[in-house]
Amino acid sequence: MDRILVVDDDPLILAALSRILQSEGYEVVTHTDPAQAAKEEGFQVVLTDFMMPLLNGVELLRTLREKNPRAVRLMLTAAADFRTASEAVNRGEVFRLLGKPWSLSELTSAVRQAFEHFRLVEANERLTREVAEKNAELTTINRDLERMVVERTNGLLDGLISALDYRDTETQWHSRRVSLYSRRIGEEIGLTPTQLEVVEQGALLHDIGKIGVSDTILLKPGPLSPEEWVEMRKHPEYGYKILAKMPYLHEASLIVLHHQERWDGKGYPQGLKGKDIVIGARIFAIADTVDAITSDRPYRKGRPMSVARDEIKRCSGTQFDPELAEAFLRIPDAEWQRIRKKVEDMENAENALWAGFTPGKVPNRVAS
């Protein structure tokens, strides 16, 4: 039920106001003592006289507002006090100012509007709350959907990388190592977590464009002819075209496009120079060289990290960004050994999964 607090130090006026408002269907709480009225709670509208002893109407409303901030405030005032009381309206203390003696229609209309205002504000707050809750739900749903898309796309890309690794067996697990090497160099120069994610993605996917290179070229045991090199050197562009259409991989796709560029401008496919090459590709160039030197190949065994360090130092300022080369040289060998061991463990786990696999029997991880 709509509840109104009515305060006036004149008992006759208070009784008259109470009768009128009760006849309108309101629950009326009355006080002649503003100090007692100041303790009231749980009403939607307050109607108070302005001139009262000890506590005037403005002071009462200010006190009531602390415990009843949403209650709509109405004030009665004699004509002589109207200017003073109007200041309360100007300060936003009251919803409506009524003169004494009041008009019955004006009084009932003002009270009705006050209750309507209270209900509108209450409905607005409720709807605002509900909209905020729905927005929060939508945000969570969108975040979950985005996460699912990223996970599924990453799963697909991981499958493509595995397919490429198995196709080009000389560099199997190479992509995983260089992605983690690149991330470690990025950490050394203080890249943000988001930037590190991009660098790791770009390095992991760097050779994805080789899917578009024919087997006769990719798997050729001997040196490539000049014509074959033209085709092989298209793989950064192929990779970029595969990835660029995926918005969340756009920055990583630039690393793929630039990963064969050189600091001195003698790389391909665009012959970019210096900092025109995205930083992820400049980082990758170092990580790629380190892995190429320290990994086993059919025609030679992997060489020590000291050889890789010497090569990075020698090519600093020509093939490699000198600042990044310096950052690489600061990182202790134990860090690279730790990363290589991590990838070896991944490889061993993968081999164990497929050990003894026969057609028609799917390994447990795949089946789940």
Side-chain angles (χ1 to χ4, degrees):
M1 187 175 183
D2 291 336
R3 194 165 187 258
I4 182 170
L5 172 63
V6 183
V7 187
D8 197 303
D9 61 323
D10 186 328
L12 294 176
I13 293 176
L14 191 63
L17 289 169
S18 181
R19 283 195 303 274
I20 293 168
L21 296 173
Q22 283 177 348
S23 69
E24 292 289 316
Y26 302 115
E27 179 185 345
V28 183
V29 180
T30 60
H31 282 283
T32 55
D33 182 356
Q36 290 299 314
K39 300 175 183 178
E40 288 286 348
E41 295 182 46
F43 51 88
Q44 293 89 26
V45 176
V46 54
L47 172 63
T48 180
D49 187 22
F50 173 60
M51 286 301 295
M52 295 182 293
L54 301 179
L55 200 66
N56 68 33
V58 173
E59 293 166 337
L60 172 61
L61 291 177
R62 189 176 293 121
T63 303
L64 286 169
R65 191 174 191 175
E66 293 177 5
K67 292 184 179 179
N68 307 272
R70 294 167 59 194
V72 183
R73 294 168 288 280
L74 301 174
M75 184 179 288
L76 286 166
T77 182
D81 304 318
F82 195 87
R83 177 177 294 178
T84 303
S86 68
E87 294 178 9
V89 178
N90 295 333
R91 293 199 302 269
E93 294 288 339
V94 299
F95 174 71
R96 182 88 173 268
L97 193 63
L98 301 169
K100 283 184 176 181
W102 64 81
S103 157
L104 180 61
S105 61
E106 183 183 15
L107 173 66
T108 55
S109 175
V111 172
R112 184 173 61 254
Q113 290 173 15
F115 276 105
E116 289 174 354
H117 181 77
F118 178 88
R119 283 189 285 271
L120 284 171
V121 170
E122 189 178 51
N124 178 267
E125 290 178 353
R126 186 184 69 254
L127 289 172
T128 300
R129 226 172 18 249
E130 290 175 358
V131 168
E133 289 170 359
K134 292 298 180 185
N135 284 340
E137 288 178 19
L138 285 172
T139 299
T140 300
I141 290 169
N142 288 336
R143 186 167 54 242
D144 289 344
L145 285 172
E146 183 178 351
R147 177 181 53 77
M148 288 174 62
V149 170
V150 169
E151 286 177 355
R152 291 182 180 184
T153 305
N154 282 344
L156 175 61
L157 293 173
D158 195 54
L160 290 173
I161 292 163
S162 293
L164 181 63
D165 279 350
Y166 285 116
R167 187 170 172 228
D168 184 8
T169 53
E170 287 189 11
T171 59
Q172 201 168 22
W173 296 97
H174 162 72
S175 297
R176 275 79 169 179
R177 286 193 298 272
V178 293
S179 69
L180 296 178
Y181 288 168
S182 296
R183 186 182 185 96
R184 181 61 187 87
I185 296 170
E187 290 172 347
E188 186 67 21
I189 62 171
L191 294 187
T192 66
T194 300
Q195 290 171 322
L196 290 172
E197 188 72 19
V198 169
V199 168
E200 186 173 351
Q201 285 177 337
L204 181 66
L205 300 168
H206 72 279
D207 267 346
I208 199 72
K210 285 184 177 178
I211 289 174
V213 178
S214 68
D215 285 351
T216 56
I217 295 174
L218 185 66
L219 305 181
K220 185 176 179 179
L224 299 181
S225 68
E227 294 77 14
E228 289 169 334
W229 267 116
V230 169
E231 180 64 23
M232 177 63 84
R233 286 180 174 177
K234 291 179 180 178
H235 79 271
E237 295 171 274
Y238 292 158
Y240 173 75
K241 289 176 181 178
I242 291 171
L243 303 177
K245 292 179 182 179
M246 303 178 202
Y248 85 98
L249 287 176
H250 176 70
E251 291 182 77
S253 72
L254 293 175
I255 297 174
V256 173
L257 181 63
H258 293 181
H259 80 274
Q260 290 289 352
E261 303 287 358
R262 289 172 47 120
W263 180 257
D264 58 11
K266 295 180 181 179
Y268 64 89
Q270 296 171 303
L272 299 178
K273 185 177 182 179
K275 293 189 177 180
D276 288 340
I277 306 166
V278 295
I279 191 167
R282 285 181 271 140
I283 290 173
F284 166 81
I286 294 173
D288 186 50
T289 298
V290 170
D291 190 61
I293 291 172
T294 58
S295 297
D296 290 343
R297 292 289 184 268
Y299 48 87
R300 64 157 175 80
K301 297 292 288 182
R303 287 167 287 180
M305 181 58 69
S306 59
V307 176
R309 288 182 174 277
D310 290 343
E311 180 68 6
I312 300 301
K313 191 183 299 183
R314 185 180 69 81
C315 297
S316 175
T318 54
Q319 186 175 347
F320 308 121
D321 179 334
E323 292 181 8
L324 295 178
E326 188 176 320
F328 162 77
L329 293 169
R330 289 198 301 266
I331 300 171
D333 286 0
E335 285 289 286
W336 308 118
Q337 292 167 5
R338 176 185 62 80
I339 294 170
R340 180 171 282 276
K341 176 66 165 55
K342 180 178 180 179
V343 178
E344 285 175 358
D345 290 344
M346 291 167 59
E347 183 178 4
N348 291 335
E350 188 80 7
N351 291 337
L353 175 70
W354 292 100
F357 169 69
T358 55
K361 184 177 181 181
V362 181
N364 289 335
R365 194 184 72 178
V366 177
S368 63

